Each structure stands twice: as structure tokens, then as C-alpha cells.
């Protein structure tokens, strides 16, 4: 064992200000500080009892909203914020997940919806772990927990907690029927957590009622049971035709209806209150929209929302639809569309609204795996010539960049830097083949698409080839480090937040749900397919990195643990390459606005210095 002390990594610089112009400085900070909120959720049997999460206090916390009285109150107040919460169906309590310092490991607690009650353990007899689904009924509660040993699922009824399922494979509670007789679980007993199967059991004796699996490479995702008591229909997503589409499965009759919509892209949905229709959220080429699908007539009608991103939507008992909306140019707002078609603002958090930003345009670039969709934003009043450009790579990997408001993107634009967001192979919304194309070769496959878009950006005159930055968080942070090592000639700087840097060490330390995901993605464990993990790990290419890099990481991150980040930084230190490290006391990102501002300021300031712009 080496006795040499660990390197002292140079700390990131947090500038007092990024802009000499006071107005510009105030504007970018105001975008992050502006009060924002999620679309509200409500108790199914007491819809006046609603909850949402908001950053109004300076950290993302849970709020209660009594619609009958108009009262809003903050429920949680924790150093690192709280975002996972749900109301009980009777509206008498609020459940929220209580972890430690953002590490995502903990337990559900509940407290009265009305002010004055203290939180208490929600389900006795369930040990701490990572959350794996929660369904709350009047009589039955179904709850899932994941640890390094695997997944365990429990019910609590009549004062007794029972474990009804346990597996070394990934599993979660996915639905509870309205009459609380049936519980749906999502599982990966077939060995592929990325394409799960579904089982429905009784809550009385846990007998299996029905199983459904569509076979290799075709996942089934349970969404929710019908909201009508006695109705055993379960709404799911399937992939039988190469993209995620809707399926209604009557579990007890074992009949199913595939819902074929004449829409490009992909969809997700929820029931209308009478279970006679579905609220469909449609995603296509970075933008989303809302539809109502009538089950009896198969009629699809648009709710005519503006172009942008729907960040959550739900149907009220009166048929009105509440939804969160934003676009690249316009900050988020919570709107309501009445059953008669009137659309108006529902809720406005206290304080000044965030300043707006620039709209984005689309680019379609031919790549090795097909046409790549990218979203492009130019600074206002930018000169015609090639611009410094940041390529921001989204996390996931199964996610997508969208035409949504981003204070982060807006700051780059204010700094005179163009922004390119790439929906590389692995992104969702472009079909199953596109999403799954990274299997067996993750990271390197996505970067082929990033390289093609980079070539387009340079050849089109958008990007200055000498001033291109690669940046991302989580999976995007992983891709950033991998890009710096495998594409060193393309990048003048890299900004990598909460990344996977050393994949073998990350696999050893990460939460079990992610180990299960990695086994499905890589084709096995680091022991069974070591060459794949080596080829796709950033630390393999650390000696080829030439551009300065900033790495940000949280001490309590269960997804991209700190040890493997330090392994990578230690290798950088031995090379003497310019780099900086921002280490903070939280998990996979921060819910505290002041901390977020510090991190973002450090990121942009680092990149601007590396480009010679500061």
C-alpha cells in the first residue's frame, strides 16, 4: 500500500461577479433566484388538499396548499432540501422522503396536512433504503425499498407490515388498484432492468393474478390503475412497435387494448377521473403537447398548449387540466385549462418572475446511427462570425434536451457563448432503437453523435473550432470526461458535474438500482465483461486529456460516488494538467439555490478563463 499522501486538488474559483455590467450580473442571478414551483398534486378523495415543491425559501421544499381556504404553507425545512412527496388519498397527511444530506437513502415519513403536527415514521417495520415505489390507499399501503442486497416490497394493512416480494434483481411497487385489492410491481427477474416486466398480485394473500412480459428488448412500464373502484384496468407503456406507446390491460379479464395514436415521437398518459379518457402528454423533437383521448370513440383532441415543454400535468375532478409549462425564451408558469377550453395562469409564486431568454432553433444532422436532433441557441445580438460554443450533454442517459426554460443555458448566452444541446443515441423520445443503440458500448456511441453535431456546428459557421467547451452533469458529466479523453482535438475546456469518472470503482460504490441498470447496459458486470467497462470508462483515457477541466462532485452522491471521482483527479494531478475541483456537502446535485449559483458561477467562469474570455 502506498504511503504517499493523496494529492491536494486545486479548488474551483467562485467569482464575486461574472459581468462588469451590473444589469447583466443581476439578470443571471435573478433567473436562479426567481421563485418557481412544480405542477400541483392533490389527494384523490379530497382534492382541495394539494401539495407542490417550490424554491421560494431558497431551497426546494414541499408546500401544502389548502384550496378551500387559499392557505399555502411550507411543510419541510431541511438543510439540503426535499422534493419527493405525495398526499394521502383522504388529504389528511403528507408523506415525504427523509434522506440524509441528499444521499437518497432513508425512509418515508408523514405528517398532518394541517399545520402543527410533527413528522413520524410512515410505515413501521420497513427498514431504511433507497425508495422503490410507494402507493398509499385508505386501508393498504404498498412500499418498496432497495439496498445493496436487492429489492424488497411490503404492504401495510390493519396495523401489520408484511414483506410480499424480495429479489436480488431490481423491482418496485408500480400501482395499487382503487379498491386496494391488487398491487402491480415492475421487476427484472429476466435480468434486464432497462426493459422491465409486470406482475399483478392480490393484496390479501399476495397470489399472482397475472404476469406480462413482452420479451427481450421490449419493456413494459406500469403507469397507474384506473381511478374507478372495481375497475382492474392498468395503464402501461409498451414498445411492441419500436417506440413507447399506450396499452390498457384489464388484469382480471386478461384482455388488452393497444392505443394507436397518429402522433410522431412518444407519449405518456394518465386517466381522467371517470376512467373514460386519457390525458396524453406527447413528446416530439424537444417539445411536448397535451391531448385528450376518448376511450369509447378513440377520438384524439388537442388541448392546444403553446410550443415548449410540459413539465407535469394532471386532471382535476371537474375535468380541468393543470400543467407546468415553459419554453427556452419564457420562464416556467403553472397554468390551468378548463373543460370549456379557457386557459389561464393558475399559480404564481411570490416574488419577481425570472427574466426571459432567447428562443432556440432545431438542427438535424446525419450521423452514424441516423439523423441526430440538436437544439441550438445563439446569444442575442451575437456577431455573424463563428462563436464560442458550449455543447451541453444531458444526463440519463435515457432523457432528452427540450425547448424548456433553463437559467443555466441563459447564462451561457448572456456570456456571449452559443449553446448546442444534442439528443444523442440513448435519448428518449426518438424510438426504442435510438434509445437502446448505446447497449454494449455506452458513452462512445453517444460521442459519435456529439462529434457529428460538432462538425456540423463548425462547418455551418456557428462554432469557433478553437473555442468549443463540452459540459454536462451526471451521465452528461460522464460523457464530458470521456469526450475530453477520446476527442482531445475538439475541446478547449470541459466542465463535468457529478460524473462517472472511473466506471469500475463507480460500480462498486453506487446504489444497487444503478448496478442493475449498468449490468443491462454494459452486458454484465465489470468481472464478466471487463473489456467493455475499460473501453467505456473515462479514466482509461485520462492520459490523453489536453484541455483544462473542472469537476464538481457531492460527498454523499450514491449515483456517482466520490471515490471514483477522486481516482480520476489523482491521475490528472500526476500529469500536471490544469484542472479544478468543486466539492460540496450534498448528493447528486444541490437543491439549495445559493449553492447552485456558486456552482454555476464556478463552471462558467472556469470555461471563460479557459477560452481566454476572462
Amino acid at each position: 500500500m502506498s504511503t504517499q499522501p493523496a494529492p491536494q486538488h486545486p479548488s474551483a474559483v467562485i467569482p464575486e461577479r461574472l459581468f462588469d455590467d451590473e444589469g447583466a450580473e443581476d439578470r443571471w442571478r435573478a433567473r436562479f433566484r426567481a421563485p418557481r414551483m412544480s405542477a400541483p398534486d392533490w389527494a384523490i378523495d379530497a382534492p382541495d388538499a394539494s401539495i407542490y415543491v417550490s424554491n421560494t425559501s431558497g431551497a426546494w421544499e414541499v408546500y401544502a396548499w389548502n384550496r378551500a381556504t387559499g392557505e399555502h404553507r411550507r411543510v419541510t425545512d431541511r438543510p439540503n432540501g426535499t422534493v419527493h412527496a405525495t398526499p394521502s388519498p383522504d388529504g389528511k397527511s403528507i408523506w415525504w422522503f427523509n434522506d440524509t444530506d441528499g444521499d437518497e437513502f432513508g425512509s418515508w415519513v408523514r405528517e398532518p396536512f394541517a399545520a402543527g403536527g410533527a413528522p413520524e415514521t410512515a410505515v413501521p417495520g420497513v427498514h431504511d433504503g433507497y425508495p422503490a415505489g410507494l402507493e398509499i390507499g385508505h386501508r393498504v399501503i404498498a412500499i418498496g425499498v432497495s439496498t445493496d442486497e436487492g429489492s424488497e416490497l411490503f404492504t401495510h394493512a390493519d396495523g401489520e407490515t408484511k414483506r410480499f416480494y424480495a429479489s436480488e434483481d431490481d423491482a418496485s411497487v408500480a400501482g395499487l388498484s382503487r379498491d386496494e385489492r391488487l398491487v402491480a410491481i415492475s421487476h427484472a427477474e429476466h435480468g434486464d432492468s432497462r426493459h422491465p416486466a409486470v406482475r399483478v398480485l392480490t393484496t390479501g394473500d399476495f397470489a399472482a393474478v397475472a404476469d406480462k412480459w413482452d420479451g427481450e428488448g421490449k419493456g413494459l412500464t406500469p403507469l397507474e390503475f384506473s381511478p374507478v373502484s372495481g375497475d382492474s384496468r392498468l395503464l402501461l407503456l409498451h414498445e411492441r412497435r419500436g417506440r413507447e406507446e399506450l396499452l390498457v390491460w384489464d388484469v382480471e379479464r386478461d384482455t388488452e387494448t393497444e392505443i394507436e395514436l397518429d402522433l410522431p415521437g412518444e407519449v405518456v398518459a394518465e386517466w381522467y377521473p371517470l376512467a373514460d379518457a386519457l390525458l396524453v402528454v406527447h413528446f416530439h423533437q424537444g417539445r411536448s403537447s397535451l391531448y385528450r383521448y376518448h376511450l369509447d370513440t378513440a377520438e384524439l383532441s388537442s388541448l392546444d398548449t403553446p410550443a415548449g415543454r410540459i413539465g407535469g400535468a394532471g386532471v382535476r375532478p371537474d375535468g380541468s387540466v393543470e400543467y407546468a409549462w415553459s419554453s427556452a425564451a419564457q420562464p416556467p408558469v403553472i397554468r390551468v385549462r378548463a373543460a370549456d377550453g379557457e386557459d389561464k395562469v393558475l399559480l404564481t409564486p411570490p416574488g419577481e418572475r425570472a427574466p426571459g431568454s432567447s428562443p432556440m432553433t432545431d438542427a438535424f444532422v446525419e450521423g452514424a446511427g441516423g439523423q441526430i436532433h440538436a437544439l441550438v441557441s445563439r446569444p442575442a445580438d451575437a456577431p455573424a462570425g463563428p462563436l464560442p460554443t458550449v455543447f451541453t450533454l444531458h444526463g440519463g442517459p435515457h432523457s432528452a434536451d427540450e425547448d424548456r426554460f433553463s437559467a443555466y443555458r441563459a447564462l451561457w448566452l448572456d456570456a456571449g457563448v452559443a449553446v448546442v444541446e444534442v439528443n444523442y443515441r440513448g435519448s428518449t423520445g426518438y424510438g426504442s432503437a435510438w434509445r437502446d443503440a448505446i447497449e454494449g458500448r455506452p458513452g462512445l456511441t453517444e460521442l459519435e453523435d456529439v462529434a457529428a453535431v460538432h462538425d456540423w456546428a463548425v462547418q455551418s459557421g456557428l462554432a469557433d473550432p478553437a473555442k468549443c467547451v463540452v459540459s454536462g452533469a451526471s451521465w452528461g458529466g460522464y460523457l464530458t470526461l470521456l469526450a475530453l479523453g477520446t476527442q482531445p482535438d475538439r475541446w478547449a475546456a470541459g466542465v463535468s458535474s457529478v460524473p462517472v469518472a472511473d466506471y469500475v470503482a463507480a460500480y462498486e460504490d453506487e446504489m444497487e438500482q444503478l448496478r442493475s441498470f449498468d449490468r443491462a447496459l454494459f452486458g454484465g458486470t465489470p468481472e464478466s465483461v471487463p473489456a467493455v467497462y475499460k473501453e467505456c470508462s473515462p479514466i482509461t483515457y485520462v492520459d490523453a486529456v489536453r484541455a483544462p477541466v473542472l469537476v464538481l462532485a457531492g460527498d454523499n452522491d450514491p449515483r456517482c460516488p466520490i471515490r471514483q471521482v477522486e481516482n480520476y483527479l489523482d491521475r490528472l494531478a500526476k500529469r500536471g494538467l490544469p484542472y479544478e475541483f468543486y466539492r460540496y456537502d450534498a448528493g447528486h446535485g444541490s437543491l439549495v439555490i445559493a449553492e447552485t449559483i456558486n456552482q454555476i458561477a464556478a463552471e462558467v467562469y472556469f470555461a471563460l478563463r479557459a477560452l481566454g474570455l476572462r
Side-chain angles (χ1 to χ4, degrees), residues 24 86 115 129 153 167 176 194 209 238 279 399 422 469 482 532 565 577 582:
T86 188
L153 310 181
S167 175
L176 183 68
R194 296 177 59 249
V209 176
H238 72 87
L279 176 66
S399 180
V422 184
V469 178
L482 195 61
V532 181
V565 172
L577 187 79
Y582 188 113

Side-chain angles (χ1 to χ4, degrees), residues 4-10 566-567 569-574 579 581:
Q4 295 182 351
Q8 295 296 310
H9 302 299
E566 292 177 317
N567 292 347
L569 294 174
D570 290 349
R571 291 282 300 275
L572 281 182
K574 291 179 181 178
Y579 73 97
F581 184 34

Side-chain angles (χ1 to χ4, degrees), residues 492-515:
V495 176
S496 175
S497 181
V498 291
V500 174
D502 176 352
Y503 226 118
V504 173
Y507 183 90
E508 293 170 352
D509 295 350
E510 68 190 5
M511 60 204 301
E512 173 56 30
Q513 291 118 312
L514 288 182
R515 283 201 289 265

Side-chain angles (χ1 to χ4, degrees), residues 360-423:
M360 55 175 39
T361 58
D362 300 279
F364 298 94
V365 179
E366 291 302 319
Q371 189 179 73
I372 308 156
H373 178 219
L375 297 163
V376 180
S377 304
R378 289 178 59 92
D381 303 320
L387 299 169
T389 303
V390 59
F391 291 73
T392 61
L393 310 182
H394 68 72
H398 301 332
S399 180
D401 280 317
E402 303 173 80
D403 185 356
R404 65 176 181 87
F405 190 78
S406 166
Y408 184 64
R409 182 198 309 115
L411 173 54
W412 285 109
L413 297 176
D414 285 355
V417 179
V419 180
V420 177
E421 299 167 75
V422 184
N423 282 334

